[in-house]
Amino acid sequence: MANNGFLIVYDRFSLVDPSEYILKGYIAPETELAAELDGRPCSLILQPLTDNVDERYGGAEARAVLHFPEKIPEHSCLKLYAEGDRGRKLVFAIRGRELEQKRKPIRIFLDDYRVSEKDGFVRIQGWAVSKEKVRIELFDAQGRRMADRAERYKRFDTVELFEEYPVDPENGFHIELRPVPKDKIYVRFLDGKSKITRCFPTDPVRYRAVKVERLLKKSGDVLRFNGPKELWEKTYNRLFNPAMKPVIYADWIRKHLPSRRELEKQQKRAAALKHKPLVSIVVPCFRTPENYLLELIASVREQSYPYLELILSDGSGEPSPIAGICGRAAGEDPRIRVLQHGEALRIAENTNAAIREAAGEYILFADHDDLLAPNALFEIVCGAEESGADLVYTDEDKIGIGEKYMQPNMKPDYDPAFLCSVNYICHIVCVRRSFLEKEGFLDTAWGGPLNPAFEGAQDYDFLLRCVERTDRILHIPKILYHWRFFEGSTAANPESKRYAFEAGRRAVQEHYDRLGWPATVEEGEFAGLYRTHWHWEEKPLVTIIIPNKDHVKDLGKCLASLREKCSWPNLEILIAENNSAEEETFAYYRSLEEADPRVRVLYYKGGFNFSAINNFAAREARGEYLLFLNNDVELITDAVSEMMGYALRPDVGAVGARLYYGDDTIQHAGVIIGWGGVAGHAFVNQKRGDSGYQHRIICQQDMSAVTAACMLVRTSVFREVGGFTEELAVAFNDIDLCMKIRAKGFLIVYNPFAEAYHYESKSRGLENTPEKVRRFNKESQYFAKCWPEILRDGDPYYSPNLSMITQDFSLKHI
């Protein structure tokens, strides 16, 4: 991306001080900024946010602050100039009218505005913030209030943007109207004191005119401030590079929902099955809104797999407002049965009552106000019968008013560490009845699989007890469940069931207690997340292996962080010296060995080969565990103790850490196999503090691999798999090691609470010479030859619905 001197990411006025105008971006080296309003100099304060140059943006992150205490004339113009080696250059300009719009108490930003004639909808999506909670109202072309509402959701990126004021996290909005309203609609934003009304044309001709006008303005700005090369690259990517276009989920899901023709084929295939297992769908009902209950029932009756029974267990108590609806549904379809209870029941006992009446070979759990995709049962039955799974789960999304699909939850395959961090499985869950019978789930003291002692997290407790008893777990990576999203629902507002999160914490704690593992569980950073602390009595020797060639300053910082942050009592530190040339380096080694008896310097005489150097040092290690650590890593937390917590588990072979570049962006949060053809780091370049898709940056979880820049491995396992593969001298040796460890049946864990800086340059590893390209290609081919199955079938800890091009867990292009 070309930097014109000051590459602006955003501009806005402060919510606290409306005279303060902030521009944040990346300033090129040796550059100064100057501002003018109608040719007169303006006071400007440049605030560097980091000294590190981000090579993606050609500069260091910085903020420019100006002050406009009075009303800005409508036709005035603010211009920002960058002054450097190439003279003075205009980098930004804005009219007074736009500045005054940005200064209004309610700040609004649009991510998406689209009118689709083909699919018959209008969509408006973005965020709106103020110092108070912002309400949104819709009006038609005649100014009449519309019944449709804007769906609201949390936008933590916006919360971070307005760092000076605690804005309402639920500032995101999603408006989708079907059919397209005539002519135009008005969207009004209100915060109690102020209101702003925006007009959105819905007539196709006027809509296209607006889009063209905005596109021309944007193109003109790019040409004016960044030059023709940047305009050409942006235009080319927009037209011909689909990877550069964000995928809108509402469009994605409609292309993945089965067509009527597909459903008819599934019906014929179901009818031709020799074995047609009955599926019992158990639904605990409690005073369900009529329209939601009717929609659930309809979604069950429309299943392409017809061999089912729907058991509606009405725990509303007397008198029940839904008794009539349930009775009519049972009268219309013999597959529907209703259980009427004279008293109000909570979810666990209500669901157990339904399960006791179920006759199916499979038990499927559904909530009383959600929807099943029409192919849900067909996919689940086919998958379970083919695999022999005892437990099946699928992907899910949320659905709002008017079938507005949003917030897809594209899940990994079964991940025990992630399941102890969050109930990511959630919906749909389907279990084999014979498994429940065999494991005694139907003969519990409380009368069924769900334990009322964990009310609110009864499904979480049930899942944890299931995975203790079976490894036959199948994930179907398809959106087969739509979780109802409306004001007050748990899907829309998890805080509406605070008691459930304490129940979830207890469920995970008792899971560890049953396994006999010494752990305590606390609630995590966000509702529904959990963090595990380990308390093993044994403190085995850990050997820390640090390859080094000169770079005394980096090595000194690494060792100082170990002394300062590491509380693990039993360490030895091996420095694997590899052909240093500076006398200063060897003098430093001597001083280290004299000052600290834990330190030994080993001398590897061969040329650079990361695998061979570490294998050489590992042969000299006395520890039961090996911590491979790059010399440019600086610990932030007590990473050794954090990693050892998981490493001491008998089922874990290796543990990795969360690493940051020096500019506080993610360098490593686990590895996904397949990115870039072989493998890539998850969430690269996202900001420190971001939680990532499904909060996976901040959740303890299993991964296919982690980087050896900071990797802890059990010594016996390392030796059992033959250590690092020395044919992989530079690239993929750590990924290959993890694959070998997993092939022996051990897990690889990513622990985000083991944090460190990895001062590796963002450009490091670029294959920019013919020799490097040949070596990289050779090592890529070697890895592909050794591990063809995972490259073919995909990483089990990454959804096949997500992009293999980007590293931010965005949707794969349709």
Side-chain angles (χ1 to χ4, degrees):
M1 184 178 293
N3 191 324
N4 57 9
F6 186 49
L7 187 63
I8 294 172
V9 177
Y10 70 75
D11 66 305
R12 66 176 181 84
F13 279 91
S14 167
L15 273 176
V16 174
D17 180 0
S19 72
E20 187 176 84
Y21 181 52
I22 304 165
L23 301 101
K24 186 175 179 181
Y26 293 85
I27 189 164
E30 307 299 327
T31 300
E32 295 183 358
L33 297 181
E36 293 180 359
L37 183 64
D38 290 337
R40 296 187 301 274
C42 295
S43 174
L44 180 148
I45 300 173
L46 183 63
Q47 302 170 336
L49 300 178
T50 175
D51 295 330
N52 299 310
V53 173
D54 190 318
E55 295 175 12
R56 294 170 301 162
Y57 303 116
E61 196 172 20
R63 177 168 50 208
V65 180
L66 298 89
H67 284 271
F68 299 105
E70 300 175 358
K71 181 176 174 63
I72 304 167
E74 184 174 313
H75 298 293
S76 62
C77 183
L78 171 71
K79 294 182 179 181
L80 191 67
Y81 295 92
E83 300 175 339
D85 294 341
R86 298 183 180 180
R88 196 178 205 227
K89 183 177 180 182
L90 179 68
V91 296
F92 180 74
I94 187 170
R95 291 285 177 187
R97 178 189 300 177
E98 292 180 77
L99 283 169
E100 285 300 315
Q101 287 289 333
K102 289 176 179 285
R103 185 146 57 170
K104 289 188 175 180
I106 303 175
R107 314 294 165 78
I108 302 162
F109 182 83
L110 293 184
D111 293 312
D112 188 34
Y113 162 42
R114 183 179 308 188
V115 178
S116 174
E117 298 174 76
K118 179 183 176 182
D119 296 321
F121 69 85
V122 58
R123 179 190 302 132
I124 305 164
Q125 188 168 309
W127 53 258
V129 302
S130 175
K131 293 176 76 173
E132 300 180 28
K133 186 177 179 67
V134 177
R135 293 185 296 112
I136 299 178
E137 298 174 349
L138 307 182
F139 299 86
D140 64 16
Q142 287 71 44
R144 296 183 297 245
R145 180 80 177 270
M146 300 173 69
D148 295 271
R149 292 184 299 170
E151 306 292 344
R152 306 307 301 272
Y153 59 95
K154 292 183 178 180
R155 288 283 299 261
F156 293 106
D157 57 332
T158 312
V159 173
E160 183 179 298
L161 175 64
F162 290 90
E163 55 193 355
E164 74 276 8
Y165 190 84
V167 300
D168 176 22
E170 204 167 81
N171 58 71
F173 64 86
H174 179 101
I175 300 167
E176 192 162 312
L177 306 176
R178 294 172 182 272
V180 177
K182 188 177 179 181
D183 193 31
K184 58 190 171 185
I185 63 168
Y186 296 97
V187 181
R188 181 173 294 166
F189 301 87
L190 309 95
D191 70 352
K193 297 177 182 177
S194 307
K195 66 180 178 181
I196 296 176
T197 301
R198 294 275 185 92
C199 177
F200 293 91
T202 55
D203 173 78
V205 175
R206 293 181 62 199
Y207 164 73
R208 282 195 288 271
V210 169
K211 295 290 282 186
V212 169
E213 181 183 348
R214 291 183 177 181
L215 185 60
L216 289 174
K217 183 182 183 305
K218 201 171 191 179
S219 300
D221 287 344
V222 173
L223 180 62
R224 187 181 182 190
F225 305 133
N226 298 86
K229 182 181 178 182
E230 184 76 4
L231 177 60
W232 163 248
E233 289 179 357
K234 284 182 175 291
T235 303
Y236 179 85
N237 284 329
R238 186 179 182 91
L239 293 175
F240 304 112
N241 188 353
M244 300 300 291
K245 299 178 183 178
V247 179
I248 305 299
Y249 178 64
D251 298 332
W252 187 95
I253 184 59
R254 287 193 167 84
K255 292 187 181 294
H256 285 78
L257 290 172
S259 65
R260 177 53 54 190
R261 189 172 181 180
E262 288 176 281
L263 294 173
E264 289 171 355
K265 287 182 180 179
Q266 290 177 4
Q267 290 171 351
K268 291 178 182 177
R269 287 176 60 190
L273 292 173
K274 290 184 179 180
H275 179 55
K276 303 178 179 65
L278 181 69
V279 180
S280 296
I281 303 170
V282 295
V283 179
C285 302
F286 184 86
R287 301 182 178 273
T288 318
E290 179 177 350
N291 56 325
Y292 295 159
L293 182 55
L294 289 173
E295 288 177 16
L296 166 68
I297 293 170
S299 76
V300 171
R301 296 181 66 180
E302 292 167 1
Q303 290 295 305
S304 59
Y305 183 85
Y307 309 106
L308 62 89
E309 64 173 358
L310 172 61
I311 302 177
L312 301 172
S313 184
D314 184 4
S316 304
E318 297 291 351
S320 170
I322 62 173
I325 302 169
C326 295
R328 285 191 295 274
E332 294 170 0
D333 191 331
R335 300 177 300 173
I336 299 175
R337 288 196 284 148
V338 180
L339 304 181
Q340 207 68 49
H341 305 284
E343 58 182 349
L345 300 180
R346 303 192 76 179
I347 296 174
E349 57 184 339
N350 202 5
T351 307
N352 286 339
I355 293 172
R356 289 195 294 271
E357 297 296 319
E361 291 183 43
Y362 293 97
I363 309 294
L364 186 146
F365 299 82
D367 288 349
H368 63 163
D369 51 6
D370 296 337
L371 300 177
L372 302 182
N375 57 327
L377 265 61
F378 178 83
E379 299 286 356
I380 289 169
V381 169
C382 289
E385 289 291 290
E386 181 179 346
S387 66
D390 291 322
L391 186 149
V392 181
Y393 68 96
T394 76
D395 293 347
E396 64 189 279
D397 65 9
K398 295 186 176 68
I399 186 169
I401 299 167
E403 293 192 353
K404 298 172 187 174
Y405 300 103
M406 61 192 77
Q407 299 181 27
N409 188 359
M410 306 298 191
K411 307 169 186 177
D413 287 351
Y414 174 54
D415 181 340
F418 194 33
L419 185 58
C420 290
S421 297
V422 61
N423 181 7
Y424 78 92
I425 290 178
C426 203
H427 302 298
I428 297 174
V429 170
C430 182
V431 291
R432 193 181 293 269
R433 184 185 184 89
S434 59
F435 165 71
L436 296 180
E437 292 172 341
K438 175 186 173 186
E439 299 297 334
F441 281 96
L442 303 182
D443 300 321
T444 60
W446 51 83
L450 304 187
N451 188 344
F454 296 92
E455 190 70 37
Q458 67 286 329
D459 53 344
Y460 199 6
D461 168 70
F462 171 64
L463 284 168
L464 291 167
R465 286 186 286 119
C466 283
V467 301
E468 293 165 18
R469 293 167 168 83
T470 183
D471 59 1
R472 298 197 299 179
I473 301 166
L474 174 66
H475 167 224
I476 298 176
K478 295 183 179 182
I479 298 286
L480 299 180
Y481 193 91
H482 307 296
W483 196 1
R484 180 74 64 179
F485 183 102
F486 61 92
E487 190 174 352
S489 71
T490 307
N493 178 21
E495 295 289 341
S496 63
K497 287 191 175 180
R498 271 300 315 164
Y499 68 90
F501 304 123
E502 168 57 20
R505 188 201 64 76
R506 288 191 292 106
V508 180
Q509 182 66 64
E510 294 203 12
H511 168 64
Y512 286 138
D513 293 345
R514 288 190 296 270
L515 294 174
W517 289 349
T520 56
V521 182
E522 68 176 15
E523 292 193 39
E525 185 175 341
F526 297 100
L529 301 187
Y530 303 96
R531 177 180 177 180
T532 299
H533 296 273
W534 298 94
H535 311 287
W536 304 95
E537 290 185 7
E538 59 266 43
K539 304 293 180 184
L541 178 65
V542 175
T543 298
I544 301 175
I545 295 174
I546 308 174
N548 188 68
K549 179 180 180 180
D550 294 316
H551 292 279
V552 167
K553 185 177 180 181
D554 287 337
L555 180 60
K557 186 182 290 187
C558 175
L559 294 173
S561 72
L562 279 168
R563 288 190 292 269
E564 181 183 344
K565 301 293 183 181
C566 181
S567 67
W568 194 260
N570 205 1
L571 294 176
E572 74 165 348
I573 301 170
L574 303 183
I575 297 171
E577 153 60 30
N578 179 221
N579 298 320
S580 291
E582 303 293 332
E583 177 55 36
E584 175 194 6
T585 304
F586 297 98
Y588 181 63
Y589 290 158
R590 289 191 292 272
S591 67
L592 285 175
E593 290 183 306
E594 290 171 2
D596 190 340
R598 300 176 303 173
V599 176
R600 285 191 288 150
V601 180
L602 309 175
Y603 293 85
Y604 179 79
K605 299 298 185 181
F608 179 76
N609 180 315
F610 181 87
S611 297
I613 293 169
N614 280 289
N615 286 344
F616 164 75
R619 287 192 289 271
E620 299 295 320
R622 301 166 184 153
E624 294 179 51
Y625 290 83
L626 305 172
L627 174 60
F628 297 100
L629 194 66
N630 280 19
N631 63 349
D632 56 350
V633 168
E634 179 184 10
L635 303 188
I636 298 171
T637 64
D638 187 0
V640 179
S641 299
E642 286 285 354
M643 297 168 80
M644 280 299 294
Y646 276 98
L648 284 162
R649 268 180 35 178
D651 57 344
V652 172
V655 185
R658 176 168 32 163
L659 304 179
Y660 306 104
Y661 289 115
D663 63 357
D664 279 321
T665 59
I666 295 290
Q667 191 265 347
H668 170 268
V671 171
I672 302 298
I673 309 297
W675 280 346
V678 178
H681 291 188
F683 301 109
V684 166
N685 294 324
Q686 293 201 24
K687 293 181 180 178
R688 183 177 179 179
D690 288 355
S691 65
Y693 184 68
Q694 297 173 328
H695 299 304
R696 287 185 64 170
I697 292 176
I698 62 172
C699 280
Q700 295 159 318
Q701 64 200 270
D702 300 312
M703 301 290 283
S704 287
V706 293
T707 179
C710 184
M711 176 200 288
L712 188 66
V713 185
R714 187 179 297 129
T715 305
S716 60
V717 173
F718 182 80
R719 290 173 178 165
E720 182 181 356
V721 302
F724 288 102
T725 299
E726 297 188 9
E727 288 83 352
L728 299 172
V730 178
F732 312 124
N733 36 54
D734 45 5
I735 316 302
D736 173 77
L737 175 65
C738 289
M739 296 299 295
K740 292 192 291 186
I741 291 172
R742 288 185 63 228
K744 291 293 184 179
F746 294 98
L747 296 172
I748 310 294
V749 176
Y750 160 68
N751 187 352
F753 303 105
E755 298 179 77
Y757 284 113
H758 184 195
Y759 293 109
E760 172 187 65
S761 167
K762 290 190 176 184
S763 64
R764 183 186 179 277
L766 292 178
E767 312 306 332
N768 50 15
T769 68
E771 182 183 356
K772 286 184 178 181
V773 170
R774 283 194 296 272
R775 187 262 308 153
F776 180 83
N777 288 339
K778 181 180 178 181
E779 293 179 345
S780 298
Q781 291 165 8
Y782 185 95
F783 184 92
K785 183 179 178 181
C786 291
W787 310 106
E789 293 84 4
I790 193 169
L791 292 173
R792 180 194 65 217
D793 300 335
D795 191 321
Y797 300 109
Y798 187 71
S799 171
N801 298 317
L802 300 178
S803 172
M804 296 303 294
I805 299 173
T806 66
Q807 291 172 263
D808 59 358
F809 288 59
S810 56
L811 283 170
K812 181 185 291 185
H813 279 79
I814 302 166

